[in-house]
């Protein structure tokens, strides 16, 4: 369970281990903290922190519709004098001198953003919302990546510098759990009369809420939609998703290839992106309506079989095939018994057979183009991702178990 850090600027952690904050399709490879504040007139705000011992960290600011507005990620944050940025390829990852600071400015980013600066896109009432993320802490480190959360330093218009509780009081910091927008219940109930799952599942890139709903439930998937993913998404990620239905068959088997990533989990001495294609990859199983995640596997958690492909099974725990184990080279994701989680609202019933798979691609490197980031129009996903586009097949438990201990070799590539 992520530790609660005594820092009045940041919320408690959002993660699968905190059921009250399991929404907005979180990734179990990451932990999230939010900050909400109002900057006093004429004041300036800085955050001082240490780079985590982790794969990745970033700050995102958000618009009122919960879509990301601006992101500042690890490699783009210059270290303090005498410190080292451990996310720069070739740099030491475990050097103790790892301090940085950033300034936060009110409003929208200019055409040429300042260095080490996050623009907060504050709303009309002055309130701003930031999310701080840490992905894949080194083995043995806590959810923060073994460092404290960044500390706020507020300079008032008078020149007085405040930290700790005094800074939070003057910022009107609000660390209560963010209120997440749901699709209106009647709208969803009407749309869900159409089952979004197909016998041959279709992976689609995420664009924006309205387009994604029309495409998934009404089959209206043409045009050139704007890419503005909501649900407090991370600008450094892009997303593929597909819907599943256990009534087709109770076991879904996902097979595909994972682009190369910098291996960091074991806490190696050097950050090495020289051969990497992405910073991070994951596959998550989710409840569509409630936005809860039931489980994820990220790149370093997935067995790569001898042919270069992975195989992941998802099912109810009670129907998990006996050969869907790490020992057999098969990853496993639990399927929620709540289905789409519609019963999170009173007097609504779950579609218990439903599930939503979400695949993340983060920060393509070295000109790597077979990524969700390179998709441009609905329907081009398979052409763009090529061999990195997963396939999904349905099985009965008995049929999958009949494949034996090397089931992956019997599945399509």
């Amino acid at each position: 369970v992520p530790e609660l850090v005594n820092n009045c600027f940041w919320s408690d952690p959002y993660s699968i281990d905190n059921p009250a904050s399991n929404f907005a399709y979180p990734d179990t490879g990451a932990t999230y903290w939010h900050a909400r504040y109002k900057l006093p007139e004429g004041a300036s705000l800085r955050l001082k922190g240490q780079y985590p011992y982790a794969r990745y960290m970033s700050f995102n600011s958000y618009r009122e519709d919960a879509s990301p507005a601006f992101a500042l990620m690890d490699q783009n944050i210059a270290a303090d004098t005498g410190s080292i940025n451990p996310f720069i390829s070739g740099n030491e990852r475990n050097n103790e001198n790892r301090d940085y600071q950033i300034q936060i400015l009110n409003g929208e980013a200019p055409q040429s953003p300042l260095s080490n600066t996050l623009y907060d896109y504050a709303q009309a009432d002055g309130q701003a919302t930031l999310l701080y993320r840490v992905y894949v802490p080194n083995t043995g480190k806590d959810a923060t990546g073994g460092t404290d959360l960044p500390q706020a330093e507020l300079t008032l218009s008078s020149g007085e510098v405040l930290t700790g509780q005094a800074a939070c009081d003057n910022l009107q910091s609000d660390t209560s759990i963010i209120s997440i927008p749901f699709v209106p219940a009647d709208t969803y109930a009407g749309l869900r009369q159409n089952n979004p799952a197909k016998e041959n599942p279709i992976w689609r890139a995420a664009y924006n809420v309205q387009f994604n709903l029309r495409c998934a439930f009404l089959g209206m998937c043409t045009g050139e939609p704007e890419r503005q993913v909501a649900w407090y998404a991370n600008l450094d990620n892009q997303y593929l998703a597909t819907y599943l239905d256990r009534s087709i068959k109770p076991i879904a088997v996902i097979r595909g290839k994972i682009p190369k990533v910098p291996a960091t989990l074991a806490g190696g001495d050097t950050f090495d992106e020289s051969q990497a294609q992405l910073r991070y990859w994951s596959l998550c199983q989710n409840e569509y309506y409630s936005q809860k995640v039931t489980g994820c596997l990220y790149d370093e958690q997935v067995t790569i079989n001898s042919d270069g492909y992975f195989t992941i099974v998802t099912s109810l725990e009670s129907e998990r095939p006996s050969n869907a184990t790490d020992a057999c080279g098969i990853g496993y994701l639990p399927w929620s018994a709540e289905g789409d989680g519609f019963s999170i609202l009173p007097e609504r019933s779950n579609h218990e057979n439903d599930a939503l798979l979400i695949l993340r691609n983060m920060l393509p490197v070295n000109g790597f183009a077979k990524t969700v980031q390179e998709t441009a129009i609905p329907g081009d996903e398979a052409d763009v991702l090529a061999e990195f586009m997963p396939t999904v097949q349905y099985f009965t438990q008995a049929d999958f178990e009949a494949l034996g201990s090397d089931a992956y070799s019997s599945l399509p590539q």
Side-chain angles (χ1 to χ4, degrees), residues 3-10 149 151 165:
E3 293 183 11
L4 303 185
V5 179
N6 183 19
N7 186 320
C8 59
F9 186 70
W10 298 104
L149 294 175
Q151 298 282 338
Q165 191 62 51

Side-chain angles (χ1 to χ4, degrees), residues 25-292:
Y25 311 107
D27 188 328
T28 61
T31 305
Y32 316 73
W33 296 263
H34 90 258
R36 271 191 163 164
Y37 63 87
K38 293 183 180 181
L39 192 65
E41 188 171 351
S44 62
L45 179 60
R46 302 188 77 80
L47 294 179
K48 295 184 175 182
Q50 290 191 313
Y51 301 100
Y53 295 84
R55 174 82 64 80
Y56 163 90
M57 58 84 82
S58 73
F59 301 89
N60 274 238
S61 60
Y62 289 86
R63 302 181 183 90
E64 205 159 5
D65 67 357
S67 65
F70 190 85
L72 187 61
M73 65 90 161
D74 46 42
Q75 289 182 347
N76 293 334
I77 300 172
D80 287 356
T81 302
S83 285
I84 191 168
N85 183 334
F87 295 99
I88 302 296
S89 196
N91 278 5
E92 292 179 54
R93 294 190 64 235
N94 300 312
N95 192 305
E96 293 182 357
N97 300 311
R98 52 200 308 118
D99 295 338
Y100 68 87
Q101 53 186 297
I102 64 172
Q103 67 172 341
I104 299 177
L105 296 183
N106 255 154
E108 299 186 8
Q111 196 164 1
S112 299
L114 297 173
S115 60
N116 279 40
T117 301
L118 181 72
Y119 296 87
D120 69 7
Y121 284 68
Q123 307 307 315
D125 66 355
Q127 188 175 65
T129 301
L130 313 179
L131 256 70
Y132 173 63
R133 291 171 164 85
V134 175
Y135 281 65
V136 193
N138 291 4
T139 299
K141 299 294 185 183
D142 67 9
T144 68
T147 59
D148 290 335
L149 294 175
Q151 298 282 338
E153 181 182 279
L154 178 66
T155 303
L156 300 177
S157 57
S158 64
E160 184 181 3
V161 178
L162 304 177
T163 59
Q165 191 62 51
C168 292
D169 289 345
N170 278 268
L171 287 163
Q172 303 177 53
S173 291
D174 180 0
T175 58
S176 56
I177 291 175
I178 288 173
S179 175
I180 195 73
F182 291 112
V183 175
D186 289 342
T187 300
Y188 178 68
L191 290 170
R192 185 54 191 80
Q193 293 180 49
N194 303 306
N195 189 342
K198 309 299 179 190
E199 193 162 345
N200 294 308
I202 301 170
W203 292 94
R204 295 195 183 277
Y207 283 93
N208 60 71
V209 174
Q210 292 76 17
F211 174 82
N212 295 343
L213 284 170
R214 290 198 304 271
C215 181
F217 294 97
L218 301 176
M220 299 168 62
C221 302
T222 57
E224 297 182 6
E226 180 182 10
R227 183 101 69 185
Q228 190 168 308
V229 182
W231 320 120
Y232 292 100
N234 180 358
L235 272 178
D236 290 334
N237 278 326
Q238 289 300 336
Y239 310 84
L240 277 186
T242 192
Y243 294 83
L244 303 178
D245 180 355
R246 291 184 56 256
S247 69
I248 296 172
K249 286 182 182 177
I251 313 292
V253 180
I254 306 100
R255 185 164 166 77
K257 294 185 77 171
I258 298 176
K260 295 175 183 176
V261 301
T264 61
L265 187 59
D269 292 336
T270 304
F271 190 75
D272 183 6
E273 275 192 315
S274 60
Q275 302 301 313
Q277 296 167 316
L278 291 180
R279 176 74 74 89
Y280 176 85
W281 177 102
S282 70
L283 183 68
C284 294
Q285 170 68 289
N286 308 264
E287 297 174 7
Y288 173 72
Y289 191 82
S290 73
Q291 307 165 20
K292 292 181 180 180

Side-chain angles (χ1 to χ4, degrees), residues 12 150 243 254 279 290 300 320 344 380 395 403 413:
D12 288 346
Y243 294 83
I254 306 100
R279 176 74 74 89
S290 73
E300 286 196 79
R320 178 175 179 170
I344 197 170
D380 69 358
F395 283 78
L403 298 175
Q413 296 186 14

